[in-house]
Amino acid sequence: MNTISLNGAWKMRENGTGEWIPAVVPGSVFCDLLAANKLEDPYFRDNDIIAREFASRDYEYVRTFAVTEELLANEKVLLKCYGLDTLATIYVNGQKIAETDDIHRTYEFDVKAILSEGENEIRIVFASALEYVREMNRKLPFEYNIKDTTFGFPHIRKAHNMFGWDSEPEIPDAGIWRDIELIGWSAVRLDTPYVRQTHTPGCADLTIEVLLERLASDAVSVQALLTAPDGTVYETCVQTQEEQAVLALKVENPALWWPNGYGDQPIYTLRVTLKKDGEELDAHEMRIGLRSMRVRREPDQWGESFEIEVNGVGIFAKGGDYIPLDKFLPRETEDRLEKMFRDCAAVHHTCMRIWGGAIFPSDAFYDLADRYGIILWQDFMFACALYHYTPEFEANIIAETRDNIKRLRHHACLALWCGSNENEWLFDEWEHTKTMQKRRDYIRQYEVVLADVAKKYDPDRLYWPSSPSSDGFFHDANGGEMGDIHCWDVWHNAIKPYTAYKEYPSRFTSEFGLQSFPTMKTIREFTLPEDREVCSYIMDYHQRNGNGYGNAHILYYVLQDLPYPHDFEKAVYASHVVQSECVRFGSEYWRRIRGRCMGALYWQVGDCWQAPTWASIDYAGRWKALHYRSRHFFAPVLLSIDEEGANLDLYTVSDRMEDTSCTLRWFLKNATSEVIRSGEMELCVKNGSSACVLSLPKAELLEGVNPREVYLEAELVADGVCLNRNWFLFVKPKHFLFKDPNFQVEVQEEENAFCIRLQAQAYARYVYLDFDEFDCLFDDNYFDMSKGEKTVRITKDTLSKPVSAEEITNSLRIMTVADLF
Ligand code: BMA
C-alpha cells in the first residue's frame, strides 16, 4: 500500500471568479476566508448575517501534487476522501471524476487512469448548500420544519446544526473538512478489522474478524499484534486465500478499562498486518480497552431497566450531551476536545451523549473519551426532522452509517448506537405526519435499514431506535417505563418550574436542562458595551431559541428563585445560579431513584459560539456554575435533601463499588450560622445504592424559628474527610433574610497553587469567585458556606497568565445571592 497525502496547502476562491487565497486542508471555506481576512468574526454581534451571504456562494479548491512511478505501479490507485462538506464535484487533471452529497461519508474513487507520473492537479468545487436547500424546498417543500433552522434542511446529508439550531446561528460551512489522500494497492487489502471481546474471570478473549478485499487469490498471512500498556506483546497469525480471516488472542489477567471514577483506563494497541511472502501489504492500527460492556435491559417492577454495565458493574450515567465546540468544524481542535473531556472527568462525569444533529466526531474525540473513561452514547446523524425517503437517500444513510460504525466500533468507551435525536418522539407529536406512507418510511429508516446496518457491522452493541424511545414502533417514545426520556416540560413545552422533575421518574434521562448566559468575560468578547443588557438587541439576537421570549425566558426562571438582578452582571450570575440549581435538582432526584433510573445527562456540555444556551462550559471554555456544581451533585457519594410532604428526607446515594462507612451530621443554623438544632448518625452506605436514611419533620425543625432565617446544612464525613455536603433553605433564596458575610480574604502561595482563605461572618449562598483580567479554575465555586473559613485552591497551571499572590488578593471578586438585593 502506498499513500500520498493531499492534506496541506491548497488555494481557494469563489468558484470561477475573484482572487485566489491560500487554503489549508483539512479545513473549511470559513476558516480560509477568516485566515485571509476576507470577513469579520461571524460571532461578533450580528456579523453572522454577513457571513451567511458568503454561505450562499460556491467555492473551488485547487492544488497540484506529484505522483510517483511507484504509486502508479499499483493495480488500484484511489482518491480517498475522509470528509467532504458537502455538495462536491471533484476534477482530477480537468476530468470530472465524481459528485458527492454526504458530509458523513468516506469516499473512494479510482483515479489510476487519470493520473500521470509527475505533476497532477485536483480541483474540488463546493456548491452552496444553503442555496441548494432553498431551491429543493421550493420544488419539494416539507410541511414542517423545526423553528430556528433553515427551512428544508433535511434535503441534504449535512450536519443539521450548520443551518442553525436553537442555540446556534445559521452559517453552513463547506470544504474538505477531513483528510484526503491517494492510496495505491495491489492484490489484497484489509478492511477495518472488527474486534470482539469475551470476558471471563481473569481472562479476555479477543476475536479479530478481518475482511480482505481481493484482486487476486494469492495466499496471504494476517497477523495480529496486541501490545499491553506494560509492554507485553500478544501475537497470532493465520494464512489464508479466502476473503476473510478470523484471529483469536487470549489475554490472561487483562488490565481492565473502567469508566471515570471506577478505575483506570489502560489502553492496548492492536496492529493487524497483511503480508504476502513476508512483504507488508497493508496494516491497521487501533487503540482498544479491554472491558465487557452492555446495556442491561430486563423486566422489573417499573417496566424495563436501561442500565449501562461495564465489567459487570451497573454504572449510573452522569454527564451531559455533546454538540460540536465550533460552528466551523476544523476549529474543534484536539486541544479543545481534550479540555472538554478533562473538564468533564474532573467533575465526575461518566457518560456523554453525542447528539444526532451534527457530525460523527473525529477519531481523536473517541480516543480521548477512551483515555478519560467517558462512556459514549452515539446517535446517528438525524435530528428533529422528517426526510424524503428516496432510494438515493437510503443509499447515503446506509453508507454513512456503515463508514462510521466501522471507524468507531473498536472504542472501549462506546456503549450504544442510537437511530436519531427525537425523531420518533416528534414524529408521533406532529399531527400532519401521520400518513401511512410516512409511518412506513419512518419504520423502514430507523427500525429496518439502520437497525440492519448496526447489526451487520457491530452485532455486539445495542442499537437503540431513537433518543428518546421505549424501543420503537411509536410506543410511548418519551415514556418513563423503559428506555430514555428527554425531560423538556421544564424550560420548553409546559414551562414548568424545575421542581417538576420529580414528576418524571425515568429509566434514563438523556436530556434536560435550563439556559443561562455565557460568562461575563465571554460576553465581552462578542458585544460592545451598549449591548450588555439582558434583552438588548444583540443579547436577544444571540438567543436562538425561538420561543418568542428572547432572554426574558431566562429571567422567568431566575425570578422564581432569586431577587430581581439590578444590573447585567448580576443577571448573568443569577442565570448561572438558577441553571445550576435546576440541573442539580434533576440530577439529585434521578440519582435518588437509582436502580429505577440509571442515567442523568443534562443538555448540554459545550457551546459552538457565544450565546445564551444550556451549556455548562461556554464557548471560550469558561466554566459556568453548573459545571462547578456538578462536582458536588455528581460526586460518587451523594447526600441529597429531598423536601417531601411534611419532611425533609435525607438520602445517601453511592456509585462506589464498595460500601462506605461514614458519619452523617446535620445542623439547623440561623443566618449567622449559629446552630439551633443538630444530629448525627453512623452509617454504612452500600455500594451502588440509594436510600433514605433520615426523615426530619419540618414542623419540628422549624419550631420557634422563622423559616426565612434558618437553613439546613448536612454532610457525610468518612475518616475526617467530607464526602459530600448539601444545603437546604426553607424558603426561596429571594425570601431569605441574609446577613452580611463581610468576607476577609487571605491568599497563600504554594509551589503549584494559590490557596484563597475565605473568612465569612454569616451564611453565604452561591459564593462566586472570579477575576476580571485573567482566567483560572477554582477547585470550588458557586458554593454555600457557613460562618467560618473555607479554602479554595487555584492550581497555577490553570491560570491564563502568571500572577502573584498580591494580584490575586487585590483583584478577587466575590458575589453571593445577597448581593442581588
Ligand atoms: C433537545 C435537543 C436539541 C435541542 C435541545 C434544546 O431536544 O435534542 O435538538 O437543541 O433540546 O432545545
Side-chain angles (χ1 to χ4, degrees), residues 8 90 95 177 214 276 332 354 368 451 488 534 559 604 619 637 666 747:
I90 306 169
Q95 203 169 315
W177 74 294
R214 286 183 169 276
K276 194 182 131 197
E332 191 188 64
I354 301 171
L368 286 163
W488 283 118
V534 171
L559 294 178
Q604 68 203 62
Y619 174 71
V637 179
W666 61 268
V747 178

Side-chain angles (χ1 to χ4, degrees), residues 451-470:
D452 283 352
V453 176
K455 194 163 166 208
K456 179 168 177 194
Y457 295 101
D458 193 10
D460 295 345
R461 244 181 212 101
L462 173 69
Y463 169 75
W464 190 242
S466 185
S467 179
S469 180
S470 293

